[in-house]
Amino acid sequence: EVQLVESGGGLVQPGRSLKLSCVASGFTFSNYGMNWIRQAPGKGLEWVAYISSGSSYIYYAETVKGRFTISRDNAKNTLYLQMTSLRSEDTALYYCARGRGMGYWGQGVMVTVSS
Amino acid sequence: DVVLTQTPPTLSATIGQSVSISCRSSQSLLHSNGNTYLNWLLQRPGQPPQLLIYLVSRLESGVPNRFSGSGSGTDFTLKISGVEAEDLGVYYCVQSTHAPYTFGAGTKLELK
């Protein structure tokens, strides 16, 4: 069974940093590109970043470019999102999702940016 | 960036009714490799989204065949042939042809 489990969220002050993790199981992680997608409370889905299976291709939304870094460790079956210079508008539920097709999603991890 | 315009924003339906959702793109979603990376997702209340349709018209495994997708280029449609109670929620189209990837604003399907 495919599983994606996010962690690392919490309450953080504006301007601070946070690192999210997504541990994958039930499939060959190294064969798939991965995404981070977020959803602000009561709002729609916003794609954040994508990393290809071998980390050769990395893309970001303009709203996070230069502040967020997506990475992965295929030996640990883990996807990461390093978030710096956090803003109140980054407050959201953050999901990891498998592949360009976004066929599998985790349950999400909440990030709240507030003083 | 590619803008996906979904209509209608809200859809009221009775059980058994057939409904359609439109997703129009600001540019062609045909990739140079010949694929069109336009997918449809359903997010039920309190749940993460689930994939219904990928590559425009391919039904994800386990998804009922009352769901179907069609379209090409810039115009795409999701059809539900006979709405059931479990279909209520918010439907999103998403494109992963052009980076940055983008979502439509969503269509909320409600019971009439």
Side-chain angles (χ1 to χ4, degrees):
Chain A
E1 177 193 7
V2 172
Q3 283 199 317
L4 298 169
V5 180
E6 303 95 338
S7 63
L11 174 63
V12 61
Q13 293 179 328
R16 303 297 290 265
S17 300
L18 204 60
K19 187 172 186 177
L20 305 183
S21 299
C22 167
V23 176
S25 60
F27 65 101
T28 304
F29 180 70
S30 60
N31 286 351
Y32 288 87
M34 296 293 295
N35 301 274
W36 285 103
I37 294 148
R38 68 186 180 183
Q39 187 168 36
K43 302 297 184 182
L45 299 169
E46 180 187 14
W47 174 82
V48 172
Y50 170 86
I51 185 168
S52 62
S53 57
S55 304
S56 297
Y57 300 97
I58 291 175
Y59 310 121
Y60 296 100
E62 286 297 326
T63 51
V64 307
K65 194 177 291 185
R67 299 187 301 122
F68 290 12
T69 302
I70 189 171
S71 63
R72 64 190 296 160
D73 185 336
N74 286 343
K76 294 183 177 180
N77 290 345
T78 303
L79 174 73
Y80 302 102
L81 186 68
Q82 176 69 55
M83 304 184 292
T84 63
S85 303
L86 282 162
R87 307 166 180 168
S88 59
E89 53 265 37
D90 296 318
T91 293
L93 187 61
Y94 284 74
Y95 296 103
C96 60
R98 189 184 85 170
R100 209 166 180 171
M102 300 176 200
Y104 288 92
W105 295 61
Q107 290 296 312
V109 61
M110 189 67 201
V111 173
T112 303
V113 183
S114 174
S115 53
Chain B
D1 297 1
V2 174
V3 176
L4 297 181
T5 302
Q6 267 185 254
T7 54
T10 305
L11 199 47
S12 294
T14 56
I15 300 300
Q17 183 180 353
S18 292
V19 298
S20 293
I21 300 169
S22 170
C23 178
R24 289 188 172 174
S25 174
S26 60
Q27 59 184 274
S28 174
L29 298 183
L30 178 62
H31 193 277
S32 57
N33 66 10
N35 288 327
T36 299
Y37 294 95
L38 187 284
N39 303 332
W40 290 95
L41 307 168
L42 165 61
Q43 186 174 32
R44 297 185 177 96
Q47 296 295 315
Q50 71 165 107
L51 180 65
L52 300 174
I53 301 285
Y54 64 100
L55 295 176
V56 179
S57 60
R58 300 187 185 183
L59 194 66
E60 174 70 350
S61 176
V63 174
N65 60 11
R66 61 179 179 275
F67 291 94
S68 62
S70 63
S72 64
T74 60
D75 286 353
F76 304 93
T77 301
L78 174 71
K79 183 176 181 180
I80 310 173
S81 300
V83 168
E84 298 193 6
E86 66 182 20
D87 300 338
L88 304 183
V90 181
Y91 290 81
Y92 294 94
C93 56
V94 56
Q95 69 83 20
S96 52
T97 294
H98 305 290
Y101 303 160
T102 47
F103 286 87
T107 295
K108 187 174 184 179
L109 178 60
E110 302 173 328
L111 271 182
K112 190 180 292 183

